[in-house]
Amino acid sequence: SYVLTQPPSVSVAPGQTARITCGGNNIGSKSVHWYQQKPGQAPVLVVYDDSDRPSGIPERFSGSNSGNTATLTISRVEAGDEADYYCQVWDSSSDHPGVFGGGTKLTVL
Amino acid sequence: EVQLLESGGGLVQPGGSLRLSCAASGFTFSSYAMSWVRQAPGKGLEWVSAISGSGGSTYYADSVKGRFTISRDNSKNTLYLQMNSLRAEDTAVYYCAKAQEGYSYGGGFYYFDYWGQGTLVTVSS
């Protein structure tokens, strides 16, 4: 089945740019979605279809996808962005199509 | 306002069964696929199962196939997950999620635009 690989942790100072990667075989041919999860809370969709933002999500959150890597970029990072972030794809060619990455803990220094 | 409210979690012995429910409101339930996603304590998200809006198509993770059954009652706006032959490794918070469908040159896909708050399932003797 399809595998998504994320770094366990990323650290960034407030006001800087955080980049969280999601690796997968030819992931650029798939649509990638990103979720933010804060402790004790349900996940929240922050980017869908590689680079679109749901209403209410700040423009500071953006996404890109090419080749074997998709990237979630958070500009002008704030303390409130500290959370776990997960990428997700739907592998329609598989019998088990739903796939999440292992998650990345974003720490704001 | 979209609301998803899970129920049915609890403590169950290994080999036992449990049925989770998810009551949905704030959208036309029958028009959307739905999914279950779980999270073991201190671990990441794991997709479990999904079902089309009509209920005619279902999908399962390899880890639960043959033990779990997803279903829906569109007249009651409710999603279900019947869990049989439960194992310790099934211990997790189970989230119900509304699926949004999309299409790209890579094919059709689902992502999850609304989530419930989750219900805890503990499998232990």
Side-chain angles (χ1 to χ4, degrees):
Chain A
S1 57
Y2 196 76
V3 175
L4 296 174
T5 301
Q6 297 182 238
S9 63
V10 168
S11 298
V12 64
Q16 299 304 302
T17 297
R19 294 179 180 85
I20 299 172
T21 59
C22 177
N25 184 35
N26 197 25
I27 195 173
S29 67
K30 301 184 183 299
S31 292
V32 180
H33 322 291
W34 293 91
Y35 304 86
Q36 175 194 70
Q37 186 182 34
K38 296 181 179 179
Q41 298 184 18
V44 172
L45 179 70
V46 293
V47 167
Y48 66 96
D49 198 9
D50 294 341
S51 58
D52 290 333
R53 274 186 317 276
S55 61
I57 300 301
E59 291 183 6
R60 301 184 298 104
F61 289 81
S62 62
S64 62
N65 184 18
S66 179
N68 292 318
T69 305
T71 303
L72 174 69
T73 301
I74 309 172
S75 304
R76 301 180 300 282
V77 166
E78 303 173 356
D81 298 331
E82 186 162 289
D84 294 324
Y85 291 85
Y86 297 90
C87 58
Q88 176 250 320
V89 300
W90 187 264
D91 183 13
S92 54
S93 67
S94 170
D95 287 340
H96 321 294
V99 184
F100 282 95
T104 298
K105 169 68 175 178
L106 175 66
T107 298
V108 181
L109 300 171
Chain B
E1 178 192 7
V2 172
Q3 291 192 343
L4 300 170
L5 184 61
E6 301 96 337
S7 60
L11 175 63
V12 61
Q13 291 188 339
S17 298
L18 211 57
R19 189 177 84 155
L20 306 183
S21 300
C22 171
S25 61
F27 63 102
T28 304
F29 183 69
S30 61
S31 295
Y32 292 91
M34 298 292 294
S35 191
W36 291 98
V37 178
R38 69 184 181 184
Q39 187 170 36
K43 303 297 184 182
L45 301 176
E46 180 188 12
W47 175 79
V48 173
S49 184
I51 186 168
S52 63
S54 67
S57 296
T58 57
Y59 313 87
Y60 296 95
D62 198 36
S63 58
V64 305
K65 194 165 188 177
R67 300 188 299 123
F68 290 10
T69 302
I70 191 170
S71 62
R72 63 192 298 159
D73 186 336
N74 286 344
S75 69
K76 296 182 178 179
N77 288 354
T78 302
L79 174 72
Y80 303 100
L81 186 67
Q82 178 67 44
M83 303 185 296
N84 298 331
S85 303
L86 282 162
R87 307 165 180 167
E89 54 265 36
D90 295 318
T91 294
V93 172
Y94 284 74
Y95 294 102
C96 159
K98 172 180 169 286
Q100 192 69 243
E101 190 171 17
Y103 296 92
S104 69
Y105 67 89
F109 58 84
Y110 287 125
Y111 60 92
F112 311 115
D113 57 351
Y114 290 93
W115 298 63
Q117 284 305 303
T119 186
L120 177 61
V121 172
T122 303
V123 184
S124 175
S125 54

